[in-house]
């Protein structure tokens, strides 16, 4: 018997990451100057992010989130419901990656207790940002659905194609970029959640 479950609402369609950052910053009664100073970015850049005029890298989002006392996953704050949670494809929280073209969608309805799953879509030359980043000390699994990507992992790098996968620690600084000049799609599974 199939059960009809209500859709898990997210901030993805109703509120952008920048708007969510502004809302959370104001709720904490923090100024742009205070948060940008703690995050190590300019006040003007933070303002552009909040107004949706700039797409921060994951590393930058981590810095801003830390300055607000949050994790990146908190920017997609869903309310907890008991029992099964459904996240409809068109409601998945979406995050622009860096400036080189890409999108990241959280596929797990929140809040995350034991794992997070993200879908990454990269345009030709797209990446997670210019700099390597790390988050927590979780086990991270990357599976390439289609295309070719390069994972920079500390001092090492790995070129992966469709069907390839790799497991690594999220504590090791890493960066992912598309390398074949065509679109690529990947799946990340992180346990425990550390975004």
């Amino acid at each position: 018997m199939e059960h009809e479950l209500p859709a898990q609402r997210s901030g993805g369609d109703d509120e952008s990451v920048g708007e969510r950052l502004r809302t959370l910053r104001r709720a904490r009664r923090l100024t742009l100057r205070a948060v940008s100073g703690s995050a190590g970015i300019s006040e003007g850049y933070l303002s552009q992010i909040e107004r949706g005029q700039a797409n921060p890298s994951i590393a930058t989002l981590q810095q801003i989130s830390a300055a607000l006392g949050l994790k990146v996953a908190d920017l997609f704050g869903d309310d907890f419901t008991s029992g099964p949670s459904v996240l409809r494809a068109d409601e998945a929280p979406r995050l622009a990656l860096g400036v080189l073209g890409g999108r990241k969608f959280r596929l797990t309805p929140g809040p995350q207790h034991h794992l997070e799953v993200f879908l990454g879509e990269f345009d030709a030359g797209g990446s997670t940002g210019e700099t390597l980043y790390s988050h927590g000390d979780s086990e991270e699994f990357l599976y390439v659905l289609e295309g070719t990507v390069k994972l920079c992992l500390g001092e090492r790098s790995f070129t992966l194609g469709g069907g390839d996968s790799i497991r690594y620690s999220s504590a090791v600084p890493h960066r992912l970029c598309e390398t074949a000049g065509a679109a690529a799609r990947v799946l990340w599974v992180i346990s425990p959640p550390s975004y």
Side-chain angles (χ1 to χ4, degrees):
M1 177 177 172
E2 185 174 325
H3 296 277
E4 184 64 30
L5 297 171
Q8 177 76 26
R9 293 299 306 163
S10 72
D13 292 335
D14 301 329
E15 189 175 37
S16 72
V17 171
E19 290 169 332
R20 180 87 171 141
L21 280 172
R22 181 186 301 130
T23 299
L24 293 167
R25 177 181 60 77
R26 287 179 175 168
R28 286 162 174 70
R29 298 179 189 264
L30 294 170
T31 63
L32 281 168
R33 178 171 293 176
V35 174
S36 63
S38 294
I41 61 173
S42 75
E43 188 175 342
Y45 184 48
L46 178 57
S47 176
Q48 288 177 337
I49 293 168
E50 287 189 355
R51 290 180 284 133
Q53 296 176 340
N55 292 326
S57 67
I58 291 173
T60 299
L61 276 179
Q62 287 178 317
Q63 292 167 261
I64 297 168
S65 297
L68 291 169
L70 304 169
K71 294 191 306 184
V72 173
D74 296 328
L75 300 179
F76 306 103
D78 294 329
D79 296 324
F80 177 75
T81 58
S82 59
S85 294
V86 174
L87 180 62
R88 303 292 181 201
D90 62 345
E91 295 174 348
R94 176 178 163 168
L95 171 64
L97 300 176
V99 296
L100 298 178
R103 292 151 302 283
K104 193 169 193 175
F105 302 88
R106 189 180 72 204
L107 301 180
T108 41
Q112 288 71 51
H113 296 288
H114 302 291
L115 67 89
E116 302 178 284
V117 180
F118 291 90
L119 172 67
E121 296 178 344
F122 295 90
D123 299 331
S127 75
T128 54
E130 291 296 323
T131 58
L132 279 71
Y133 66 98
S134 61
H135 49 95
D137 189 15
S138 300
E139 188 170 5
E140 187 160 343
F141 173 80
L142 172 71
Y143 179 79
V144 181
L145 296 165
E146 62 185 59
T148 304
V149 296
K150 180 170 80 171
L151 175 68
C152 297
L153 190 60
E155 299 294 320
R156 303 172 71 190
S157 65
F158 303 86
T159 299
L160 306 166
D164 293 342
S165 63
I166 186 170
R167 180 179 52 90
Y168 52 94
S169 169
S170 65
V172 177
H174 52 281
R175 172 182 184 267
L176 190 69
C177 60
E178 188 287 321
T179 58
R185 295 174 71 232
V186 302
L187 190 69
W188 284 279
V189 179
I190 303 164
S191 180
S194 59
Y195 243 139

